[in-house]
C-alpha cells in the first residue's frame, strides 16, 4: 500500500456524492446532509440519474455531467454498481473515493480503480470526518468536534458509538476515519499519512484484524517515533490454540505475537475505548518519568489502599521503596509517632502546606519516579487549597505528578484547577494507577523502539558455515526434525552451552553410549512425534550403571508401546547428568506466527510449562537490552534472584542465549520451530539440557519473514581512500552511537550548520539514538568506519536516505568528518547509497542543500544529480537523481 493520493481523501477541495438522495435515512441522504451541515467550503456535487436537485443542491445525471472533477467521491450506490462508478470517476480524474456498500466485489473494485491511481476507503466504510476543514463525508448521526487526535477504526458501529461518546465529553478529532473492509486503504496507509500531519497530536486505532503486516509494523514504528500511537484490539474469539509438537508453538498464541509486535513498534495497547482516550490525555499532560517507581500521598488510608491494591495487579510499575533519608525527611514534617511508609498517610486534617511539603520531598527523592497525590473529601480538609498547593509545588520543583481528588461535586473545582494547570487528574485512585501504568509501559515501548544496545556478541561468522551443513541434513530428512545431537550442535555453533548428547538406536547401543559418556546419565526416548517426553514415560534420570540403563530403556519401550503404539521411536538419547543444584529450569523457544512471522518464547520451563504458562513472546532480532526486557516480563524473573542460600542466576548469560537464538534464526530462516527445555540457569551460566529444532524449506510469506528486518550484513564492503588506506562501508548499527557522537564532536560548527540547516550546540543522547537506531525497512544509513591504532572503531562519515512509503523518492543527506574532506570519502559514500537505492528500485533520490554549500552541490552534481530551485526557500536548492 502507499500514501499515494491520500491528500485528496483527507484534504479535498471538492466532493461528489454518487447516489445522493432525498429518501429519508438512506446513505445518500445522510451523507449529503452531513456534508452540507458541516459547512464544507468547496463544491458539493450530488449525482443521481433522475433527481434535478438533492437537499436543495443542483444534481447531475452522471459522473460525466459534473462541471468539474471532484477530488473526493462518496459512493452511496449498491455494491454491484461500484466498479463501474469507480472506472467513470477514474477516467474523469478523481483520485479518492469512499465506498459505503459492503457487498462489493473486491477484485472488480480494485481493478477498476487501479489504472487511474484512485484510492478507496472501504468498502463497508462509515466514511470520514476532518473537522478542521469542515468535512463530514460520512453517514454518522453525530458530527465530530475539532481536536488534535486522529481516530481510525475498522468497525462502523464502533465508530458511531465513539462519536456519540466523545461529543458530550468535549473530545475532538483531527481526523475520524472508518476503514470498513480496508480493501485498499488500510491502517498502514493512514498511519503513514498521519505521522507527518502537524494537526494530529496522537493516533488512536481500533483494530479487529490485520490482513497483512508487512507494511503495518514499519508504518507503526515510523508513526510512533513522531507521536503517540495507542490502540484497542477487539477481543478475538476463544483462542483454541492447538497443542503443537513443539512447546514454543503451543505457547506463542496469536495474541501474544500481536502484543510483542505492538511493543516493538513503540505503541501502547489498552483494554477499551474509555481507557484509550484517558491514556492519550495522560500522555499529553504527564511529565516525563525516568523509571517505574510510584509513591502515593493521601489524606485517607482507604483511598491509599485502593491505589495499592490496583498496583498489586498485573501490569507495569511498582511501588517505590523509600530510602531512610526520604523517610527521615517525611517524619520531620509530621507529628511525633507518625509511621513513615509508602503509601504516605498525610492524615485527615492535612493542610495545603502539608500536601506541598510532603510532595516536594517525594519529588526530590531519587528513588521515586512519579508521585500520585490523592485527596478524599472531609470536613477537616480544604480540597481546593490542597490542589492549589500541589500545583504550586509542581511548578516550582517539577516532577511527574498525578492527582486523584475523589468525589463528585466537592472535587469538581479542584479537577478544574488541575486541568488548567495541565496536570493529569482522575476521579478514582484505581484509574490514576492505571494511567501511571500507561506511562510506564508507553515509555518502556518507546525505549525499545529507540534502543541503544552494547556491542554485538561475536563469533557468529564461523557459526553460519557449520549451521548450514546441519540445516541441510535436517531438510533432507522427511519431517525436518533435527536429531537431538544435531540440534545441540547447531546451538553450540552459536555459543550456547549444551550437554553432550549421544543417539542410540536400541537398548544395547544405549548401554554402550552411557558407558562412553560416564555415569550417572539421563536416558530419554528419541521420537519426532513426542513433544513432552514425560507424558509417555520416556524419561529416566540419575542412572548409575549399565544395568540401570538397560532396565530403564526396556521400561521406556514397554510404556510407550502400551500408551502410544502409534508414534515412531528412533531409539534413545543419552547424556551425562548435569549436576546444577541451584539451577532454575527455563524454556527458550522459536515459533512462527501466521501474521508476524518468527517469534521468540521465554519463560519458566520444565514439566509444567504448559500448565504454569509463565512466558513472554518477543520479536527477533533482539539485542541484550531487549532480551533482558523479555526476561523481566515473566514471573520467573523473580526466581532468578538470590533466595536464602541459593545464589542469583547469571541473568546476562540467559539474555545471551536469547540473543544467540535470535541470530541463529536470522542466519537460518529455514528454522520454523525450536524448544530448549529445560535450559538450566544458575550462578555459573546457562546450559541447554534438552533441545529440539525443526526446519523447512524457505518460503516468501509473512509466516517466515521477520516483522522487523535484522541487520543487513550482506551490504558490508571494503573500499579504499585516495591514499590507498582501507575503510569499511556498512549499514549503521545501534552500537555505533559512541563513535557517531565522537564524529559529530570533530565537525566544525560551519559543517554542522550546513548539514542541519542551523547552529547546532549539542546533539542529545535520544537524538543520537534516533540517528543510529533505524528501521532498515524505511531508512538506510551507511557509515565509513575504521579502527584506530588503539583498537577503537571510529566513524569517518555517513550517508543517509529516508524513503517514502511508496518507494518513489528517497531524501538524501551526507556528512563527512571535517578532517576527512578531499580523501574521496564523500564520493564513495554517495556511490554506495545510489547503488543501494537503485537495487531497491526507488524512483528518485533528492537532497535539500543550502545554496552556499558548494562542496555538497558539486558532490551531488558529480554523481549525476540535477539542480533545481526550491519552491519553498530561495536559500536552498534541490538536487535530484532520477533512477528510472
Amino acid at each position: 500500500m502507499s500514501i499515494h493520493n491520500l491528500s485528496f481523501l483527507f484534504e479535498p477541495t471538492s466532493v461528489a456524492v454518487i447516489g445522493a438522495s432525498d429518501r429519508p435515512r438512506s446513505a445518500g441522504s445522510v451523507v449529503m446532509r452531513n456534508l452540507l451541515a458541516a459547512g464544507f467550503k468547496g463544491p458539493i456535487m450530488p449525482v443521481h440519474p433522475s433527481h434535478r436537485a438533492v437537499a436543495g443542491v443542483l444534481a447531475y445525471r452522471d459522473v460525466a455531467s459534473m462541471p468539474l472533477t471532484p477530488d473526493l467521491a462518496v459512493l452511496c450506490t449498491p455494491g454491484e454498481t461500484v466498479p463501474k462508478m469507480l472506472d467513470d470517476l477514474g477516467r474523469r480524474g478523481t483520485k479518492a473515493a469512499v465506498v459505503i456498500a459492503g457487498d462489493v466485489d473486491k477484485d472488480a473494485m480494485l481493478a477498476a480503480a487501479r489504472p487511474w491511481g484512485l484510492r478507496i476507503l472501504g468498502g463497508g466504510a462509515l466514511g470520514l470526518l476532518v473537522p478542521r476543514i469542515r468535512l463530514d463525508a460520512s453517514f454518522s448521526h453525530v458530527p465530530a468536534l475539532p481536536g488534535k487526535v486522529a481516530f481510525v477504526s475498522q468497525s462502523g458501529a464502533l465508530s458511531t458509538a465513539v462519536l456519540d461518546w466523545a461529543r458530550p465529553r468535549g473530545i475532538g478529532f483531527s481526523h475520524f476515519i472508518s476503514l470498513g473492509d480496508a480493501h485498499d486503504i488500510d491502517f498502514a496507509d493512514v498511519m503513514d499519512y498521519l505521522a507527518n500531519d502537524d494537526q494530529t497530536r496522537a493516533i488512536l486505532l481500533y483494530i479487529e484484524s490485520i490482513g497483512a503486516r508487512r507494511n503495518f509494523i514499519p508504518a507503526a514504528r515510523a508513526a510512533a517515533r513522531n507521536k503517540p500511537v495507542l490502540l484497542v484490539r477487539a477481543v478475538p474469539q476463544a483462542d483454541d490454540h492447538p497443542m503443537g509438537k513443539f512447546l514454543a508453538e503451543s505457547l506463542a498464541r496469536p495474541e501474544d505475537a500481536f502484543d510483542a509486535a505492538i511493543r516493538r513498534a513503540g505503541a501502547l495497547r489498552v483494554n477499551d475505548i474509555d481507557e484509550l482516550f484517558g491514556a492519550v490525555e495522560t500522555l499529553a499532560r504527564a511529565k516525563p518519568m525516568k523509571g517505574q517507581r510510584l509513591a502515593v500521598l493521601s489524606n485517607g488510608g482507604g483511598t491509599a489502599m485502593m491505589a495499592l491494591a490496583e498496583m498489586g495487579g498485573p501490569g507495569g510499575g511498582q511501588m517505590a521503596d523509600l530510602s531512610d533519608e526520604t523517610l527521615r525527611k517525611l517524619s520531620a514534617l509530621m507529628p511525633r509517632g507518625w509511621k513513615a511508609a509508602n503509601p504516605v498517610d498525610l492524615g485527615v486534617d492535612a493542610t495545603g502546606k502539608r500536601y506541598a511539603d510532603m510532595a516536594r520531598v517525594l519529588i526530590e527523592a531519587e528513588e521515586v519516579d512519579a508521585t500520585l497525590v490523592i485527596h478524599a473529601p472531609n470536613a477537616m480538609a480544604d480540597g481546593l487549597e490542597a490542589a492549589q498547593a500541589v500545583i504550586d509545588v509542581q511548578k516550582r520543583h517539577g516532577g511527574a505528578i498525578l492527582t486523584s481528588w475523589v468525589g463528585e461535586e466537592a472535587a469538581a473545582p479542584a479537577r478544574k484547577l488541575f486541568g488548567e494547570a495541565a496536570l493529569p487528574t482522575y476521579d478514582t485512585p484505581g484509574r490514576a494507577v492505571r494511567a501511571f501504568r500507561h506511562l510506564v509501559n508507553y515509555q518502556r515501548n518507546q525505549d525499545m523502539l529507540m534502543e541503544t544496545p552494547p556491542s554485538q556478541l561475536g563469533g557468529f561468522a564461523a557459526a553460519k558455515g557449520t549451521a548450514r551443513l546441519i540445516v541441510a541434513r535436517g531438510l533432507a530428512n522427511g519431517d525436518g526434525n533435527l536429531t537431538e545431537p544435531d540440534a545441540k550442535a547447531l546451538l553450540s555453533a552459536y555459543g550456547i552451552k549444551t550437554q553432550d548428547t549421544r543417539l542410540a538406536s536400541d537398548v544395547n547401543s544405549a548401554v554402550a553410549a552411557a558407558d562412553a559418556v560416564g555415569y550417572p546419565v539421563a536416558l530419554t526416548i528419541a521420537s519426532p512425534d513426542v513433544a513432552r517426553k514425560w507424558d509417555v514415560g520416556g524419561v529416566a534420570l540419575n542412572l548409575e550403571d549399565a544395568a540401570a540403563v538397560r532396565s530403564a530403556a526396556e521400561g521406556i519401550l514397554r510404556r510407550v508401546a502400551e500408551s502410544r503404539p502409534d508414534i515412531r521411536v528412533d531409539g534413545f538419547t543419552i547424556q551425562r547428568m548435569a549436576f546444577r543444584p541451584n539451577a532454575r529450569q527455563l524454556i527458550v523457544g522459536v515459533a512462527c506466527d501466521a501474521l508476524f512471522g518468527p517469534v521468540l518464547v521465554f519463560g519458566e520451563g520444565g514439566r509444567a510449562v504448559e500448565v504454569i504458562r509463565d512466558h513472554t513472546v518477543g520479536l527477533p532480532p533482539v539485542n541484550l537490552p531487549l532480551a533482558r526486557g523479555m526476561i523481566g516480563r515473566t514471573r520467573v524473573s523473580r526466581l532468578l534472584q538470590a533466595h536464602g542460600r541459593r545464589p542469583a542466576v547469571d541473568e546476562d548469560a540467559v539474555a545471551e542465549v536469547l540473543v544467540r537464538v535470535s541470530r541463529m534464526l536470522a542466519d537460518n530462516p529455514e528454522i520454523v520451530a525450536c524448544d530448549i527445555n529445560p535450559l538450566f540457569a544458575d550462578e555459573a551460566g546457562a546450559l541447554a539440557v534438552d533441545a529440539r529444532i525443526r526446519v523447512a524449506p524457505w518460503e516468501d510469506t509473512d509466516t517466515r519473514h521477520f516483522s522487523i528486518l535484522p541487520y543487513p550484513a550482506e551490504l558490508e564492503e571494503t573500499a579504499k581512500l585516495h591514499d590507498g588506506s582501507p575503510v569499511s562501508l556498512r549499514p549503521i548499527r545501534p552500537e555505533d552511537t559512541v563513535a557517531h557522537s565522537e564524529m559529530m564532536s570533530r565537525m566544525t560548527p560551519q559543517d554542522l550548520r550546513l548539514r542541519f540547516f542551523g547552529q547546532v550546540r549539542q546533539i542529545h543522547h535520544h537524538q543520537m539514538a534516533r540517528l543510529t537506531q533505524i528501521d532498515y525497512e524505511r531508512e538506510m544509513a551507511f557509515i565509513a568506519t575504521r579502527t584506530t591504532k588503539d583498537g577503537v572503531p571510529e566513524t569517518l562519515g555517513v550517508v543517509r536516505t529516508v524513503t517514502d512509503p511508496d518507494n518513489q523518492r528517497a531524501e538524501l543527506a551526507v556528512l563527512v568528518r571535517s578532517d576527512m574532506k578531499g580523501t574521496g570519502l564523500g564520493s564513495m559514500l554517495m556511490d554506495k547509497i545510489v547503488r543501494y537505492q537503485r537495487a531497491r528500485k526507488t524512483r528518485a533520490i533528492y537532497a535539500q542543500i543550502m545554496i552556499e554549500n558548494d562542496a555538497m552541490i558539486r558532490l551531488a552534481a558529480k554523481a549525476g544529480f540535477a539542480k533545481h530551485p526550491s519552491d519553498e526557500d530561495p536559500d536552498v536548492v534541490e538536487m535530484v537523481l532520477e533512477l528510472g
Side-chain angles (χ1 to χ4, degrees):
M1 302 298 181
S2 77
I3 59 172
H4 183 57
N5 284 339
L6 288 193
S7 60
F8 294 96
L9 177 70
F10 296 124
E11 298 184 63
T13 59
S14 55
V15 180
V17 181
I18 314 299
S21 171
D22 281 320
R23 181 163 54 86
R25 298 186 181 181
S26 66
S29 172
V30 175
V31 170
M32 190 68 196
R33 281 160 177 74
N34 280 351
L35 280 166
L36 294 170
F40 181 68
K41 298 300 184 183
I44 299 173
M45 295 170 285
V47 175
H48 194 282
S50 59
H51 289 2
R52 292 179 60 94
V54 176
V57 178
L58 180 66
Y60 304 93
R61 283 190 350 171
D62 51 32
V63 169
S65 302
M66 290 187 292
L68 55 87
T69 299
D71 288 342
L72 171 65
V74 184
L75 276 65
C76 304
T77 59
E80 65 270 15
T81 68
V82 167
K84 173 66 167 61
M85 293 295 181
L86 290 174
D87 183 63
D88 291 346
L89 288 163
R91 291 177 186 277
R92 183 67 194 262
T94 299
K95 297 301 182 184
V98 176
V99 175
I100 302 295
D103 58 340
V104 60
D105 185 324
K106 173 184 175 181
D107 293 336
M109 180 177 73
L110 295 178
R114 190 173 291 119
W116 316 109
L118 194 159
R119 303 305 306 277
I120 301 169
L121 185 67
L126 172 78
L128 79 152
L129 301 92
V130 186
R132 175 177 54 85
I133 61 172
R134 298 186 176 183
L135 174 69
D136 185 349
S138 77
F139 62 92
S140 168
H141 68 299
V142 179
L145 297 172
K148 294 288 187 179
V149 174
F151 183 79
V152 189
S153 171
Q154 282 176 311
S155 168
L158 189 279
S159 296
T160 56
V162 168
L163 281 172
D164 203 44
W165 175 91
R167 190 171 181 84
R169 289 168 171 80
I171 296 173
F173 301 92
S174 64
H175 301 76
F176 195 94
I177 304 159
S178 165
L179 294 178
D181 297 324
H183 289 325
D184 175 28
I185 296 170
D186 61 12
F187 282 112
D189 301 329
V190 175
M191 283 191 287
D192 277 328
Y193 183 88
L194 296 174
N196 296 306
D197 178 64
D198 58 7
Q199 299 298 316
T200 299
R201 184 186 67 194
I203 302 171
L204 312 185
L205 310 175
Y206 177 81
I207 298 176
E208 293 180 340
S209 64
I210 300 171
R213 57 85 181 156
R214 290 203 189 184
N215 287 304
F216 179 83
I217 295 297
R221 286 167 65 82
R225 286 189 173 101
N226 291 335
K227 58 195 65 173
V229 177
L230 300 92
L231 64 96
V232 172
R233 163 105 168 198
V235 178
Q237 294 181 347
D239 190 354
D240 221 4
H241 205 44
M243 300 278 259
K245 289 186 177 181
F246 278 72
L247 293 169
E249 292 179 321
S250 302
L251 297 174
R253 300 174 304 168
E255 278 301 288
D256 296 328
F258 180 85
D259 283 339
I262 294 307
R263 283 193 296 268
R264 285 296 294 274
L268 178 67
R269 181 182 182 180
V270 297
N271 295 319
D272 53 45
I273 294 297
D274 196 10
E275 198 173 351
L276 184 71
F277 286 94
V280 75
E281 284 302 303
T282 298
L283 295 180
R285 290 183 173 182
K287 302 299 184 287
M289 302 186 306
K290 60 180 182 293
Q292 59 176 353
R293 300 162 298 180
L294 179 70
V296 176
L297 189 66
S298 176
N299 70 333
T303 50
M305 289 304 103
M306 290 170 63
L308 193 60
E310 182 68 32
M311 186 60 82
Q318 63 188 53
M319 295 295 289
D321 186 9
L322 300 182
S323 68
D324 292 341
E325 176 66 14
T326 298
L327 293 174
R328 184 188 62 76
K329 290 179 179 178
L330 292 172
S331 297
L333 297 171
M334 294 296 290
R336 181 176 297 179
W338 177 81
K339 292 183 180 180
N342 185 21
V344 179
D345 188 353
L346 290 166
V348 295
D349 59 345
T351 62
K353 184 178 186 306
R354 188 180 296 173
Y355 264 99
D357 291 343
M358 302 288 264
R360 180 177 56 79
V361 172
L362 295 175
I363 287 170
E364 294 173 350
E366 288 294 325
E367 69 275 17
V368 174
D369 300 311
T371 302
L372 168 58
V373 185
I374 302 173
H375 182 274
N378 65 74
M380 302 174 65
D382 187 333
L384 201 59
E385 176 194 55
Q388 188 60 58
V390 170
I391 292 168
D392 292 342
V393 77
Q394 198 280 331
K395 284 182 179 178
R396 287 195 301 270
H397 300 281
I401 295 285
L402 297 89
T403 66
S404 177
W405 258 233
V406 181
E408 288 298 332
E409 187 176 347
R415 290 187 195 140
K416 185 172 184 294
L417 283 181
F418 289 131
E420 293 169 350
L423 276 182
T425 188
Y426 310 91
D427 55 2
T428 68
R431 287 186 176 179
V433 171
R434 288 194 291 275
F436 169 71
R437 284 188 167 142
H438 292 152
L439 292 171
V440 169
N441 291 324
Y442 177 74
Q443 187 57 56
R444 183 182 295 157
N445 293 355
Q446 284 286 297
D447 290 343
M448 291 173 68
L449 180 66
M450 303 298 291
E451 185 58 64
T452 307
S455 297
Q456 285 188 336
L457 298 170
F460 290 137
K464 192 170 182 179
T466 302
R468 300 312 300 161
L469 296 174
I470 297 172
V471 168
R473 281 201 297 271
L475 291 173
N477 188 4
D479 57 12
N481 288 297
L482 303 186
T483 65
E484 187 171 339
D486 267 359
K488 288 184 174 177
L490 185 55
L491 297 177
S492 296
Y494 283 87
I496 299 170
K497 293 181 181 179
T498 63
Q499 190 76 341
D500 180 32
T501 301
R502 307 288 177 92
L503 186 62
S505 59
D506 54 34
V507 173
N508 290 332
S509 300
V511 172
D515 289 340
V517 300
Y519 295 97
V521 299
L523 178 77
T524 61
I525 186 175
S527 171
D529 300 327
V530 178
R532 293 156 287 278
K533 300 173 183 178
W534 314 284
D535 294 351
V536 296
V539 179
L541 305 177
N542 291 307
L543 304 177
E544 297 285 355
D545 53 35
V549 171
R550 182 176 299 278
S551 175
E554 291 171 347
I556 287 174
L557 291 177
R558 185 173 58 255
R559 289 190 295 271
V560 170
E562 292 173 353
S563 63
R564 292 289 305 276
D566 58 308
I567 67 173
R568 188 181 98 198
V569 177
D570 294 335
F572 306 92
T573 59
I574 300 94
Q575 58 182 291
R576 186 179 177 86
M577 287 293 300
F579 183 68
R580 308 282 285 258
N582 296 319
R584 285 69 152 177
Q585 295 191 48
L586 308 173
I587 181 172
V588 170
V590 170
C592 285
D593 181 72
L595 189 61
F596 293 102
V599 298
L600 298 175
V601 177
F602 170 81
E604 185 170 355
R607 295 185 61 173
V609 61
E610 289 174 301
V611 177
I612 297 172
R613 299 193 75 88
D614 173 28
H615 68 280
T616 187
V617 171
L619 294 186
V622 300
N623 52 36
L624 286 172
L626 292 171
R628 294 187 189 106
M630 285 186 65
I631 295 168
R633 288 196 298 273
T634 60
R635 296 188 302 275
V636 77
S637 63
R638 300 179 185 176
L639 296 179
L640 304 184
Q641 300 168 10
H643 297 280
R645 294 185 179 181
R646 199 180 193 190
V649 166
D650 182 354
E651 284 197 37
D652 284 346
V654 178
E656 281 193 16
V657 171
L658 283 163
V659 174
R660 293 177 186 277
V661 169
S662 172
R663 182 56 189 263
M664 179 181 75
L665 192 56
D667 287 348
N668 304 280
E670 296 87 356
I671 295 174
V672 293
C674 171
D675 284 345
I676 305 174
N677 181 43
L679 176 74
F680 280 3
D682 58 16
E683 71 279 7
L687 175 71
V689 176
D690 196 1
R692 303 175 68 233
I693 295 175
R694 187 175 75 241
V695 296
W698 166 252
E699 55 185 25
D700 189 13
T701 63
D702 274 353
T703 303
R704 303 289 288 280
H705 273 284
F706 278 22
S707 285
I708 298 172
L709 290 184
Y711 173 76
E714 68 277 5
L715 297 177
E716 295 178 348
E717 64 180 72
T718 300
K720 290 185 178 181
L721 301 175
H722 286 336
D723 63 3
S725 59
V727 295
S728 174
L729 300 181
R730 62 167 174 81
I732 203 165
R733 295 194 295 245
E735 59 267 28
D736 292 318
T737 298
V738 174
H740 215 71
S741 181
E742 175 64 21
M743 179 189 72
M744 292 294 189
S745 71
R746 297 177 66 173
M747 301 296 301
T748 66
Q750 174 67 356
D751 284 344
L752 287 177
R753 186 181 71 83
L754 293 176
R755 164 63 179 87
F756 293 104
F757 286 47
Q759 296 298 329
V760 178
R761 291 193 176 93
Q762 180 183 7
I763 298 180
H764 297 284
H765 174 77
H766 72 277
Q767 295 169 314
M768 195 62 66
R770 177 65 187 88
L771 292 173
T772 56
Q773 200 278 349
I774 66 172
D775 188 338
Y776 300 116
E777 188 81 39
R778 296 283 183 87
E779 305 172 64
M780 181 50 70
F782 291 112
I783 63 168
T785 180
R786 66 186 178 190
T787 304
T788 67
K789 294 178 180 179
D790 299 327
V792 178
E794 62 173 349
T795 299
L796 308 176
V798 60
V799 61
R800 185 181 306 273
T801 49
V802 179
T803 307
D804 64 37
D806 305 331
N807 197 31
Q808 296 297 302
R809 282 164 59 89
E811 185 174 8
L812 168 78
V814 182
L815 187 64
V816 174
R817 207 171 71 186
S818 298
D819 62 335
M820 295 299 296
K821 292 181 178 179
T823 63
L825 186 58
S827 296
M828 190 184 302
L829 290 168
M830 185 72 84
D831 174 68
K832 177 72 171 172
I833 201 71
V834 169
R835 284 187 284 125
Y836 169 76
Q837 294 294 161
R838 198 182 297 277
R840 273 182 57 102
K841 299 184 179 179
T842 307
R843 295 288 297 275
I845 306 174
Y846 74 98
Q848 299 279 343
I849 305 172
M850 295 183 72
I851 202 165
E852 61 187 283
N853 193 350
D854 293 331
M856 181 61 193
I857 292 173
R858 288 197 303 272
L859 176 64
K862 182 180 176 183
F865 285 68
K867 185 177 179 181
H868 302 277
S870 171
D871 295 332
E872 300 176 359
D873 189 341
D875 295 326
V876 171
V877 296
E878 184 170 278
M879 304 293 290
V880 180
L881 176 65
E882 299 288 346
L883 299 178

